[in-house]
């Protein structure tokens, strides 16, 4: 079946511009996660959506970052006024049920380069 | 332990060697411990989800154990093969934190 789909796969933007990254989770998965991996670093948690509950935004690094999930499905991560330190691979994952016992299914990521 | 920590950071072994890595995590408010394999140019793939103290899971030549009281998990690979070369990540799901991973390189 279809996995987690992310678009675009690559994005180059100029410093100060806004960008939107999209994630289509696996159909029926109620939990959705955003992570990023900066060069040489591990996976950094950004935000978590579970069903209709309020998202856990505790990992968002600044107020330039926001995310929404429409209709419990597609999610968009928006970065405003991009900075060079925002350059990273942004990974989206979904899981069935959202409980800690459900494995995450990852997309292939969006590589963001801020010039 | 405040964060999820993995060791070693990298590992180079010969084909046929057996190897193991460690994941340390906060033992308080434990819910689950996940292991993932992340191959170059691919997305992370789930290996194991472990929830109970003393859990042991096995998939082919790869196995994992869990000690929630002391806050650690071991991942074992028996008879490493070049296709096992990847970064192995663990994550503690009382909060969605991943360790920085162990990068395994298996030389033929």
């Amino acid at each position: 079946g279809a996995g987690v789909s992310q678009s675009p796969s690559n994005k180059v933007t100029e410093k100060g511009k806004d960008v939107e990254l999209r994630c289509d989770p696996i159909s029926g998965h109620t939990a959705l996660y955003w992570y990023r991996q900066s060069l040489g670093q591990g996976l950094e948690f950004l935000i978590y959506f579970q069903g209709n509950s309020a998202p856990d935004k505790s990992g968002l690094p600044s107020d330039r970052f926001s995310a929404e999930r429409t209709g419990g499905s597609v999610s968009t991560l928006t970065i405003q006024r991009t900075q060079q330190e925002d350059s990273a691979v942004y990974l989206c994952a979904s899981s069935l049920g959202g409980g800690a016992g459900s494995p995450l299914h990852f997309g292939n990521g969006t590589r963001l380069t801020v010039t | 332990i405040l964060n999820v920590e993995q060791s070693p950071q990298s590992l180079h072994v010969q084909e046929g060697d057996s190897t193991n890595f460690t994941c340390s995590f906060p033992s308080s408010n434990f819910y689950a411990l996940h292991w993932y394999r992340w191959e170059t140019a691919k997305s992370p793939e789930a290996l194991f989800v472990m929830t109970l103290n003393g859990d042991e899971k096995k998939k082919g030549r790869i196995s994992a154990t869990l000690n929630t009281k002391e806050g650690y998990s071991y991942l074992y690979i028996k008879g490493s093969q070049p296709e096992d070369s990847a970064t192995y990540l663990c994550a503690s799901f009382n909060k969605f934190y991943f360790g920085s991973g162990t990068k395994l390189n298996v030389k033929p």
Side-chain angles (χ1 to χ4, degrees), chain A residues 13 18 26 29 32 62 74 76 82-83 85 87-89 100 105 115:
Chain A
T13 190
D18 297 352
I26 293 172
H29 280 195
L32 188 146
S62 77
V74 172
T76 302
T82 52
Q83 303 295 310
E85 62 263 28
S87 296
V89 175
H105 298 260
T115 61

Side-chain angles (χ1 to χ4, degrees), chain A residues 21-25 32 34 49 68-76:
Chain A
L21 312 181
R22 176 186 169 103
C23 174
D24 279 280
L32 188 146
W34 283 98
F49 295 89
E68 63 177 21
R69 188 178 184 192
T70 53
S73 182
V74 172
S75 177
T76 302

Side-chain angles (χ1 to χ4, degrees), chain A residues 3-115:
Chain A
V4 177
S5 177
Q6 291 188 246
S7 60
S9 55
N10 280 286
K11 177 72 177 179
V12 180
T13 190
E14 291 180 354
K15 179 182 172 181
K17 301 281 190 183
D18 297 352
V19 294
E20 285 189 352
L21 312 181
R22 176 186 169 103
C23 174
D24 279 280
I26 293 172
S27 178
H29 280 195
T30 60
L32 188 146
Y33 309 76
W34 283 98
Y35 289 88
R36 73 175 177 181
Q37 185 191 34
S38 303
L39 189 63
Q41 304 297 311
L43 281 178
E44 177 188 4
F45 166 72
L46 297 177
I47 190 168
Y48 163 64
F49 295 89
Q50 170 53 35
N52 295 320
S53 302
D56 182 335
K57 304 179 182 180
S58 59
L60 294 178
S62 77
D63 58 9
R64 295 186 296 104
F65 287 72
S66 63
E68 63 177 21
R69 188 178 184 192
T70 53
S73 182
V74 172
S75 177
T76 302
L77 178 69
T78 301
I79 308 173
Q80 296 179 308
R81 305 181 302 282
T82 52
Q83 303 295 310
Q84 288 186 328
E85 62 263 28
D86 299 334
S87 296
V89 175
Y90 289 81
L91 284 166
C92 173
S94 68
S95 70
L96 185 65
S102 299
L104 272 59
H105 298 260
F106 285 86
N108 288 328
T110 293
R111 181 176 297 277
L112 175 66
T113 303
V114 182
T115 61

Side-chain angles (χ1 to χ4, degrees), chain A residues 35 37 48 56 100 102 104 107, chain B residues 32 34 36 38 43 49 95-96:
Chain A
Y35 289 88
Q37 185 191 34
Y48 163 64
D56 182 335
S102 299
L104 272 59
Chain B
H34 293 210
Y36 292 81
W38 195 357
S43 52
V49 175
K95 201 68 178 172
F96 318 98

